[in-house]
Amino acid sequence: MIERQEIKTLLQDPPVNTRVTIMGWVRAWRGNRFMVINDGSGPETLQVVVDGERFDEETIRAIGFHACVGVTGTLAESQGAGQAVEVIAEEITIFGENDLSRYPLQPKKQSMEFLRDNAQFRMRTNTFSSVFRVRHGVAYAVNKYFHDRGYYYLHTPIITGNDAEGAGEMFRVSVLDPTNPPRTADGKIDYNQDFFGKATNLTVSGQLQAEIGAMALGKVYTFGPTFRAENSNTSRHLAEFWMIEPEIAFADIENDMDLAEDFVKYLINYCLEHYAADLQFLDERIQELEKNMKATDRRPMGLIDTLRFVVENDFARITYTEALDILLQSKTYKKGKFEFDLSWGTDLQAEHERYLVEKHFQRPVIVRDYPKDIKAFYMRQNDDGKTVAAMDVLFPYIGEVIGGSQREEREDRLRQRMAEMNVHADELEWYLQLRTFGGCPHAGFGLGFERIVQFITGMGNIRDVIPFPRAPRLAQF
Ligand code: 4AD
Ligand code: MG
């Protein structure tokens, strides 16, 4: 049996002058006497004093950067600055040597692209281990938030026959090629050649199935992988990302917005409370990165201050029409500095969303009541005949983190909208039946899990907050 103490626990209340055993990876050497160990339990490291009289030089040389070792020794108050305690090594076990001349990573600053290509080791760096601990914390907080409030976690399918968003951005699972399907001798599509006997794809959203849950369990949420074959070559898009989708019966767009704001604030608060050391490290990392930037390119507040600001202040709430007025009256628009043009009916681009959030309101913004033609078929039509009860939550640096809506519960309206938008009712007969039989007003939203993790960790690229990113030409591991 292997016995050891975890560094995070040891440092909480250090049992000075006792014998301890720690195991982990060498983060750095200070000279050839002090070895700095991290075991992944937290961002904390423990310094090990390696006495040259006790250990021969060859042993010490074999323990390079990121080598894996076990150390037994006395935990003592540290003589040096920078740490309260250190381990005076008595025994060292080398679990895994690390020959730096062949190891892909080196003990120096390395680019994010390079680390992405070496994802088998990038989690050993300070930045990535902090990011993935925080990611875990956000996932835990998601489940805790809903569980504590009486929601049920519903597992919705990954392989499905429908396109929930109607945007045609699905990855095909079925062998059936919709543009050139196999045919029988009499010219009909030969479904026998397919495992499912129909065209299937990876899910773009669990919403439609979550609505089934809400119409029986009242309050449900999904939290699973979703897939989009859209152009995801940006710093906020992935081809495979995780989405959290609550769906609630007896709720309208107001309930939906209140839930969204309360929920994201809870997630941020949870991390501030439980991942303070990781956030502190990430905060300092950003300050370091911004040192050489022009003042105008720097973020106005540090990471932790930004997170605190978001939880302590109300989100701004405006309609799409109001948002458009603000944008059209802005100096940026008047000087022709937006890349994409704007008029009533066009979708807001990331640059517009960021203007509203970062320049105009300087806080998160919820935009509601979008033109119906730029939104999905299932959203409830407003009485003006032009807009739907949709809402997007926009965050600084990220843009849209949440998209949601009140759902169209009136069957005739929904059928009509599906026809107008060329959404085939035959695939969604079951969905329509939720209206025919025992339906009610209901609403929900989708939070992009990686986008909120990106915001909380302050990472610049969404590919660096998911362990194994999937994007165009990026599918290693
Ligand atoms: O706005 P979207 O497309 O909404 C839906 O899918 C609804 N069915 C949700 C619902 O009402 N239940 O996506 C929801 C969120 C976006 O706000 C964004 O944060 C994230 O999912 N998202 C992506 N994240 C990373 N990469 C992508 N390619 C994403 N596409 C959407
Ligand atoms: Mg959206």
Side-chain angles (χ1 to χ4, degrees), residues 165 228 375 379 392 400 402-404 451:
E165 291 305 296
R228 295 197 187 176
K375 289 289 180 187
M379 296 183 177
D392 278 4
E400 179 188 338
I402 286 181
R451 291 204 183 160

Side-chain angles (χ1 to χ4, degrees), residues 8-21:
K8 183 183 170 133
T9 320
L10 267 185
L11 294 185
Q12 268 156 11
D13 185 16
V16 179
N17 298 328
T18 61
R19 242 169 100 87
V20 297
T21 298

Side-chain angles (χ1 to χ4, degrees), residues 164-165 169 204-208 210 222 226-228 230-232 236-247 256 375-376 378-379 392-393 398 400-405 407 443-452 462:
E165 291 305 296
E169 292 168 339
V204 296
S205 157
Q207 177 198 319
L208 305 191
T222 73
T226 46
F227 308 84
R228 295 197 187 176
E230 62 194 332
N231 174 22
S232 41
R236 3 173 268 147
H237 288 87
L238 290 162
E240 176 180 309
F241 62 100
W242 288 63
M243 205 186 340
I244 298 127
E245 297 181 275
E247 191 67 36
D256 208 31
K375 289 289 180 187
Y378 52 70
M379 296 183 177
D392 278 4
V393 180
I398 311 284
E400 179 188 338
V401 293
I402 286 181
S405 62
R407 318 307 186 189
F445 62 77
L447 167 68
F449 182 59
E450 282 74 20
R451 291 204 183 160
I452 195 68
I462 198 166

Side-chain angles (χ1 to χ4, degrees), residues 237-338:
H237 288 87
L238 290 162
E240 176 180 309
F241 62 100
W242 288 63
M243 205 186 340
I244 298 127
E245 297 181 275
E247 191 67 36
I248 32 176
F250 318 113
D252 63 13
I253 189 77
E254 302 282 345
N255 300 106
D256 208 31
M257 291 191 294
D258 286 353
L259 176 66
E261 181 167 343
D262 188 59
F263 175 51
V264 279
K265 283 181 171 172
Y266 177 91
L267 299 182
I268 296 169
N269 247 330
Y270 189 88
C271 292
L272 283 169
E273 202 176 312
H274 297 274
Y275 290 85
D278 284 301
L279 293 181
Q280 186 63 40
F281 169 79
L282 292 165
D283 198 342
E284 285 159 17
R285 170 186 175 272
I286 295 170
Q287 286 168 31
E288 184 70 31
L289 283 175
E290 291 190 339
K291 246 192 206 155
N292 302 320
M293 285 186 188
K294 281 191 298 189
T296 46
D297 291 342
R298 278 185 227 134
R299 298 180 175 199
M301 274 189 262
L303 178 66
I304 291 179
D305 286 342
T306 305
L307 300 178
R308 288 218 180 95
F309 180 87
V310 167
V311 295
E312 284 165 9
N313 289 282
D314 287 343
F315 294 2
R317 295 187 186 194
I318 52 170
T319 64
Y320 166 90
T321 305
E322 288 163 348
L324 203 76
D325 284 345
I326 292 169
L327 290 164
L328 292 176
Q329 277 160 31
S330 68
K331 282 203 186 101
T332 314
Y333 178 79
K334 289 182 175 159
K335 288 188 186 159
K337 294 236 168 101
F338 284 128

